[in-house]
């Protein structure tokens, strides 16, 4: 950032705000009903969220702790994304019965498949509790401040009366300037009802991920089961379909540009209020480091997955997970550059300083702290991404934490059982031979990209990738962690229980393991030379960010502030809209089945199309699901401000009817987590007409459509 830019901020007009144009992720108890109605909404804010009686919020759930899902029938039928249910579809798949490739459709409730461990959470009530949580915190600094807030939260939660299946979660908003309490009900018997083959549900795969125009039928269906009293219960054959307080009618009306829409769900994380210096570091240093690591891992996995079906099935879910944010970060960097995000932040900061001179001191301190933290933050990015994406190192990290807990007396029987369960699941989808190659390549990248002061002694030997592949393969073959060498008479990858039968021998063997020693060398160096400094500076940054957030809200009276996303229930609203992403390029708001056929590549990993879908298209057998063009609409875009966690969120019309299923964002606008730009920021949704067309015509599962209330 040049001095010229920094100095120029003081020459700007005093009044300067961001043009929001409906960007925002609003707490559903604090909606701007007038603005929503001015945009075209026909229902009231109370119809969206009302703790006293049935409202739309009773049809919206957090799916398995991450995605969103919605209830679309009076029998607890649940709709979410294909990629949100991907892990469950994969878990029911084998080489002989490949549900990922073939799809799955229960023919009746008895054919629905249980998914142990999967949960859905309803939000029963939301209350602001800032006064209770911040009581007695004036003039406190860390760590006393955190201790006091944690204590106040526990006092508040313990004072609430809840049912056994309910819990209270207290969440910080606006960087700790406000707090909200959420009453949650959790249901634990969730069964797989239907999923299209991945040639529909994942059509376009990684090439089309984060991209518009999009032609992906990204949906899957589950059902919530309850006990005979309609209350949450563990899985039982005696459980019955859940009867919801509210379910969403499904609209098959045509969509038009500028139609009002709103999205209701659980967005994961945004950072809209960072200073310019933080955005600059993300754009120029942190994101490029993350991208580089995942690029190496993905290319290595892809080569093997294309050549071997067993590997493709084993690694399908993991590959998709790694690729998702790899591509998102690439788009984020490009979007931040294109939308001049740093320059906009600098100008905005100048306008704030012109109104409130105290803010200059806050920004000066933040600038210094971010610059001081930069080398440690970069090492943090390379280290964490390397350990996360080299699965062999991830395993070593799990065993390291186990040994540490045992030696500290913190590992009880329950903890050991949970670890063994986690390890068994990990080994099920782990190829030691393949990951030895991934690990070797990532270690070469780490050795070459990491500043010398952060490298372990002698780590220069890992700079040669070709030599690494031989060396790491040899280490892998002689490791009990990889499961290629035995401990207690067995391979850990084959028999976890017996492998853990003699704890002392297991721990002694782990400490001598070559993979463990390699990981431990990396970890000790990182924890000594980078992590404490990174964390210490981050604590100071967080404290100042809280101050800066409060200053922004107190100074800029013209701006509407929503709290950054933190996986709590939010409403975002906007209009159905296309976009002009770059010079001479115009995107329509709607795609159709014809576009699927245009992209069709027979036998391709990403763009194959099922024969039955081709036949339906050629016969024009579209039923009630075609639009005014005579074709079946597949996807559409709007200006709703979404992020990760909004996957599977319902897109609703002015009357609260389901019109689409949110599943992605337009690549040119993925920077909206940091800088929402109404010119480029578009969310991408599967059209309800395409969902119903696939269920009815392709899957021959009209019994599911018959459960729903269809709005024509």
């Amino acid at each position: 950032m040049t001095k010229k830019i920094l100095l120029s901020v003081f020459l700007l007009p005093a009044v300067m705000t961001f043009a929001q144009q409906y960007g925002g992720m609003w707490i559903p108890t604090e909606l701007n009903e007038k603005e929503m109605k001015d945009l075209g909404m026909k229902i009231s804010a109370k119809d969206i969220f009302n703790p006293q009686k049935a409202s739309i919020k009773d049809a919206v759930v957090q799916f398995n702790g991450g995605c969103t899902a919605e209830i679309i029938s009076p029998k607890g039928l649940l709709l979410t994304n294909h990629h949100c249910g991907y892990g469950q579809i994969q878990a029911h798949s084998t080489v002989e019965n490949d549900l990922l490739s073939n799809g799955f459709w229960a023919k009746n409730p008895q054919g629905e498949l249980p998914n142990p461990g999967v949960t859905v959470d309803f939000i029963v009530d939301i209350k602001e509790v800032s006064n209770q949580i911040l009581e007695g915190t004036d003039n406190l600094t860390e760590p006393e401040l955190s201790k006091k807030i944690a204590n106040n939260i526990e006092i508040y939660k313990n004072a609430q009366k809840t049912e056994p299946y309910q819990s209270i979660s207290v969440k910080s908003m606006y960087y700790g300037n406000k707090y909200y309490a959420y009453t949650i009900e959790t249901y634990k018997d969730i069964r797989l009802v239907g999923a299209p083959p991945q040639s529909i549900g994942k059509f376009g795969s990684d090439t089309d991920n984060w991209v518009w125009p999009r032609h992906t039928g990204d949906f899957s269906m589950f059902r919530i089961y309850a006990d005979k009293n309609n209350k949450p219960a563990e899985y039982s054959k005696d459980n019955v379909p859940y009867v919801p307080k509210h379910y969403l009618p499904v609209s098959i009306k045509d969509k038009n540009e500028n139609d009002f829409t709103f999205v209701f769900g659980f967005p994961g994380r945004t950072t809209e209020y960072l200073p310019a210096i933080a955005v600059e570091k993300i754009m120029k240093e942190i994101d490029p480091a993350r991208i580089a690591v995942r690029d190496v891992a993905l290319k290595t996995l892809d080569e093997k997955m294309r050549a071997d079906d067993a590997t493709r099935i084993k690694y399908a879910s993991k590959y998709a997970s790694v690729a998702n944010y790899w591509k998102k970060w690439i788009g984020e960097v490009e979007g931040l550059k294109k939308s001049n995000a740093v320059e906009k932040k600098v100008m905005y900061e100048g306008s704030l300083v012109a109104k409130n001179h105290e803010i200059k001191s806050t920004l000066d301190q933040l600038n210094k702290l971010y610059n001081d933290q930069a080398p440690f933050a970069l090492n943090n990015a390379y280290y964490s991404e390397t350990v996360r994406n080299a699965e062999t190192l991830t395993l070593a990290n799990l065993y390291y934490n186990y040994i540490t807990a045992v030696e500290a007396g913190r590992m009880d029987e329950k903890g050991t059982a949970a670890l063994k369960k986690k390890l068994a699941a990990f080994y099920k989808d782990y190829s030691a031979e393949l990951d030895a190659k991934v690990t070797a390549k990532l270690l070469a990248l780490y050795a070459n990209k990491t500043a010398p002061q952060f490298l372990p002694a002698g780590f220069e030997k890992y700079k040669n990738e070709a030599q690494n592949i031989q060396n790491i393969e040899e280490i892998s073959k002689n490791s009990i962690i990889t499961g290629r060498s035995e401990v207690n008479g067995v391979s850990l990858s084959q028999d976890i229980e017996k492998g853990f039968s003699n704890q002392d021998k297991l721990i002694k063997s782990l400490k001598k393991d070559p993979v463990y020693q390699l990981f431990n060398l990396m970890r000790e160096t990182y924890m000594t030379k980078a992590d404490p400094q990174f964390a210490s500076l981050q604590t100071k940054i967080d404290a100042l960010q809280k101050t800066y957030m409060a200053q922004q809200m107190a100074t800029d009276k013209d701006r509407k502030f929503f709290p950054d996303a933190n996986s709590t229930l939010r409403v975002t609203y906007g209009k159905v809209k296309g976009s002009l992403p770059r010079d001479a390029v115009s995107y329509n708001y709607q795609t159709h089945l014809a576009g699927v056929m245009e992209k069709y590549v027979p036998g391709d990993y990403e763009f194959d199309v099922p024969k039955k879908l081709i036949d339906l298209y050629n016969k024009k057998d579209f039923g009630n699901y075609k639009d005014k063009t005579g074709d079946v609409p597949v996807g559409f875009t709007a200006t709703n401000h979404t992020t990760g966690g909004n996957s599977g969120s319902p897109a609703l019309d002015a009357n609260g009817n389901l019109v689409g299923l949110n599943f992605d964002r337009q690549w040119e606008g993925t920077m909206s987590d940091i800088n929402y730009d109404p010119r480029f920021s578009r969310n991408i949704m599967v059209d309800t007409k395409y969902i119903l067309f696939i269920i009815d015509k392709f899957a021959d599962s009209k019994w599911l459509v018959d459960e729903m209330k269809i709005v024509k």
Side-chain angles (χ1 to χ4, degrees):
M1 197 184 306
T2 65
K3 289 183 179 178
K4 184 176 180 181
I5 293 176
L6 286 170
L7 290 171
S8 70
V9 301
F10 299 106
L11 305 176
L12 292 169
V15 178
M16 176 135 191
T17 60
F18 287 142
Q20 283 179 279
Q21 294 187 28
Y22 322 126
M25 298 173 177
W26 308 97
I27 298 172
T29 52
E30 300 178 0
L31 297 178
N32 186 334
E33 185 173 332
K34 182 181 183 304
E35 182 173 76
M36 295 176 79
K37 287 194 169 183
D38 287 345
L39 287 170
M41 185 173 76
K42 305 298 184 187
I43 57 177
S44 72
K46 281 288 187 183
D47 292 324
I48 296 172
F49 191 98
N50 189 337
Q52 267 71 53
K53 64 178 186 177
S55 55
I56 292 173
K57 60 98 173 165
D58 295 306
V60 180
V61 297
Q62 188 167 41
F63 182 81
N64 209 24
C67 290
T68 305
E70 55 275 355
I71 302 171
I72 56 171
S73 90
K75 298 179 180 178
L77 191 60
L78 206 61
L79 183 68
T80 189
N81 286 154
H82 185 272
H83 75 260
C84 294
Y86 202 76
Q88 285 69 55
I89 302 164
Q90 180 193 28
H92 291 293
S93 293
T94 63
V95 173
E96 296 75 27
N97 184 27
D98 185 357
L99 301 188
L100 290 173
S101 295
N102 302 327
F104 168 77
W105 300 95
K107 296 305 178 187
N108 50 50
Q110 291 71 39
E112 296 170 1
L113 303 177
N115 300 280
V118 174
T119 60
V120 299
D121 292 332
F122 289 86
I123 303 302
V124 178
D125 199 6
I126 303 173
K127 289 186 172 72
E128 187 188 345
V129 292
S130 303
N131 290 340
Q132 296 96 311
I133 306 306
L134 293 173
E135 184 179 359
T137 62
D138 291 347
N139 303 316
L140 290 183
T141 56
E142 297 294 348
E144 287 76 16
L145 176 62
S146 291
K147 289 178 182 176
K148 181 63 176 175
I149 287 173
N151 187 55
N152 286 349
I153 288 173
E154 285 307 305
I155 291 171
Y156 175 83
K157 288 166 69 172
N158 291 335
Q160 308 310 303
K161 293 180 180 179
T162 58
E163 300 294 337
Y165 48 83
Q166 291 181 329
S167 60
I168 303 289
S169 176
V170 177
K171 292 282 192 174
S172 163
M173 305 284 184
Y174 303 105
Y175 292 93
N177 286 291
K178 288 187 178 183
Y179 285 83
Y180 289 75
Y182 294 78
T183 304
I184 301 166
E185 284 187 4
T186 301
Y187 282 74
K188 299 180 178 181
D189 186 351
I190 314 300
R191 304 185 196 179
L192 178 64
V193 175
Q198 60 185 8
S199 52
I200 292 174
K202 205 174 175 231
F203 182 77
S205 192
D206 301 306
T207 298
D208 273 8
N209 191 22
W210 302 101
V211 168
W212 185 258
R214 196 67 172 276
H215 300 86
T216 313
D218 194 349
F219 76 95
S220 59
M221 306 182 80
F222 293 78
R223 194 185 302 278
I224 306 172
Y225 278 75
D227 66 16
K228 62 182 180 181
N229 298 314
N230 208 40
K231 300 300 182 185
E234 297 289 344
Y235 170 78
S236 168
K237 290 181 180 178
D238 297 327
N239 286 346
V240 294
Y242 169 70
V243 179
K245 297 175 186 174
H246 180 79
Y247 64 93
L248 301 178
V250 182
S251 172
I252 54 171
K253 293 180 181 178
D254 283 3
K255 290 161 194 65
N256 297 297
E257 192 147 26
N258 294 316
D259 280 353
F260 174 79
T261 64
F262 68 101
V263 170
F264 206 176
F266 294 83
R269 185 171 183 267
T270 59
T271 50
E272 301 284 342
Y273 306 108
L274 295 174
I277 184 71
V279 177
E280 185 177 52
K281 297 297 184 190
I282 291 168
M283 183 178 73
K284 293 183 177 179
E285 297 175 19
I286 304 304
D287 276 1
R290 293 165 168 167
I291 292 163
V293 174
R294 294 199 179 199
D295 191 51
V296 170
L298 288 167
K299 285 178 180 175
T300 311
L301 292 176
D302 183 65
E303 183 180 357
K304 180 67 173 175
M305 289 171 70
R306 286 180 182 271
D308 180 65
D309 275 348
T311 302
R312 175 181 60 79
I313 292 171
K314 184 179 282 192
Y315 272 82
S317 183
K318 287 187 289 192
Y319 183 93
S321 177
V322 174
N324 191 37
Y325 263 68
W326 164 78
K327 193 166 186 177
K328 186 261 186 183
W329 288 324
I330 294 171
E332 183 171 89
V333 170
E334 292 303 311
L336 289 171
K337 290 176 181 175
K338 188 167 186 176
S339 63
N340 297 316
V342 175
E343 291 82 355
K344 280 168 60 178
K345 289 274 188 183
V346 169
M347 290 190 292
Y348 182 65
E349 289 166 9
S351 72
L352 291 173
V353 169
K355 296 176 185 177
N356 180 354
H357 292 293
E358 290 181 4
I359 295 178
K360 184 179 184 303
S361 174
T362 304
L363 289 169
D364 286 346
Q365 292 177 71
L366 282 168
N367 284 335
K368 183 179 187 308
L369 285 169
Y370 272 106
N371 281 321
D372 289 348
Q373 190 194 43
F376 306 108
L378 185 61
N379 186 222
N380 170 272
Y382 275 117
Y383 175 82
S384 58
E385 281 294 312
T386 298
V387 171
R388 182 181 293 117
N389 290 286
E391 289 187 289
T392 301
L393 297 180
T394 303
L395 274 171
N397 191 26
L398 289 172
Y399 285 112
Y400 174 88
N401 291 334
Y402 165 69
I403 292 172
T404 303
V406 169
E407 293 181 342
R410 291 185 281 103
M411 181 57 73
D412 58 13
E413 200 171 301
K414 186 178 178 181
T416 303
L419 174 65
K420 287 189 288 189
K421 185 178 179 182
K422 185 173 185 177
L423 286 168
F426 195 107
Y427 282 123
K428 176 181 175 288
D429 295 324
Y430 168 71
S431 167
E433 294 88 342
L434 173 57
D435 195 66
K437 187 179 285 188
V438 174
T439 299
K441 291 183 177 183
L442 291 184
L443 286 175
L445 180 73
Y446 187 73
N448 282 289
K449 291 290 187 180
T450 301
Q453 66 265 33
F454 297 121
L455 283 176
F459 218 73
E460 290 78 9
K461 68 182 179 183
Y462 290 107
K463 289 188 174 183
N464 186 311
E465 184 181 285
Q467 188 176 327
N468 267 11
I469 292 174
Q470 294 180 358
N471 291 343
I472 300 302
E473 169 61 17
E474 193 62 29
I475 288 173
S476 174
K477 282 198 300 187
N478 291 294
S479 169
I480 63 171
I481 287 175
T482 63
R484 299 170 81 180
S485 185
E486 294 187 349
V487 61
N488 291 328
V490 295
S491 162
L492 287 167
S493 64
Q494 300 299 316
D495 191 340
I496 285 288
E497 287 297 332
K498 194 169 181 183
F500 273 70
S501 60
N502 185 329
Q503 181 176 274
D504 290 341
K505 186 176 180 181
L506 173 63
I507 289 176
K508 286 178 183 177
S509 298
L510 283 169
K511 287 185 174 181
K512 294 176 183 177
D513 189 275
V515 168
Y516 185 89
Q517 291 178 346
L518 170 60
F519 167 73
N520 203 27
L521 179 65
M522 289 180 67
R523 185 189 179 283
E524 283 187 359
T525 305
Y526 171 74
M527 294 303 293
T528 301
K529 296 185 176 181
D531 189 71
Q533 298 88 332
F534 172 79
S536 174
L537 289 163
Q538 190 61 49
T539 298
K540 294 175 182 177
I541 287 169
D542 291 344
L544 268 177
Q545 181 65 40
K546 178 182 177 181
T547 300
Y548 180 47
M549 186 77 247
Q551 289 173 332
Q552 289 181 73
M553 295 171 74
T555 303
D556 190 352
K557 300 295 186 182
D558 297 323
R559 185 176 181 184
K560 297 172 184 174
F561 291 88
F562 61 92
D564 270 318
N566 59 356
S567 295
T568 56
L569 187 61
R570 303 293 181 90
V571 174
T572 179
Y573 50 88
K575 293 186 175 185
V576 174
K577 216 165 194 55
S579 61
L580 301 168
R582 52 192 175 276
D583 184 41
V585 174
S586 174
Y587 288 156
N588 200 328
Y589 66 90
Q590 186 92 64
T591 58
H592 290 84
L593 189 54
V596 175
M597 301 308 155
E598 288 171 359
K599 290 180 176 179
Y600 170 42
V601 180
D604 186 70
Y605 180 69
E606 299 180 304
F607 293 101
D608 200 8
V609 176
K611 182 180 184 301
K612 185 170 182 180
L613 188 60
I614 296 171
D615 291 343
L616 288 167
Y617 177 76
N618 288 335
K619 293 175 186 175
K620 302 295 184 258
D621 186 4
F622 300 152
N624 294 324
Y625 309 117
K626 61 188 177 184
D627 66 8
K628 57 198 170 191
T629 70
D631 198 355
V632 180
V634 173
F636 66 102
T637 59
T639 61
N640 300 303
H641 187 179
T642 60
T643 188
N646 275 126
S647 290
S649 293
L652 302 129
D653 66 10
N655 295 300
N657 301 314
L658 185 72
V659 293
L661 181 62
N662 188 82
F663 72 97
D664 209 350
R665 279 175 287 164
Q666 193 168 298
W667 195 67
E668 293 86 354
T670 52
M671 77 294 179
S672 60
D673 287 348
I674 299 168
N675 173 52
Y676 177 86
D677 190 321
R679 296 174 298 166
F680 311 120
S681 298
R682 298 288 182 273
N683 68 308
I684 302 175
M685 295 148 284
V686 192
D687 199 297
T688 45
K689 287 189 178 184
Y690 190 55
I691 293 171
L692 294 177
F693 168 74
I694 295 297
I695 296 169
D696 185 352
K697 292 290 186 176
F698 178 83
D700 295 320
S701 294
K702 194 170 186 300
W703 73 280
L704 294 172
V705 178
D706 291 342
E707 280 189 33
M708 307 173 202
K709 179 182 178 182
I710 306 298
V711 178
K712 298 180 181 179

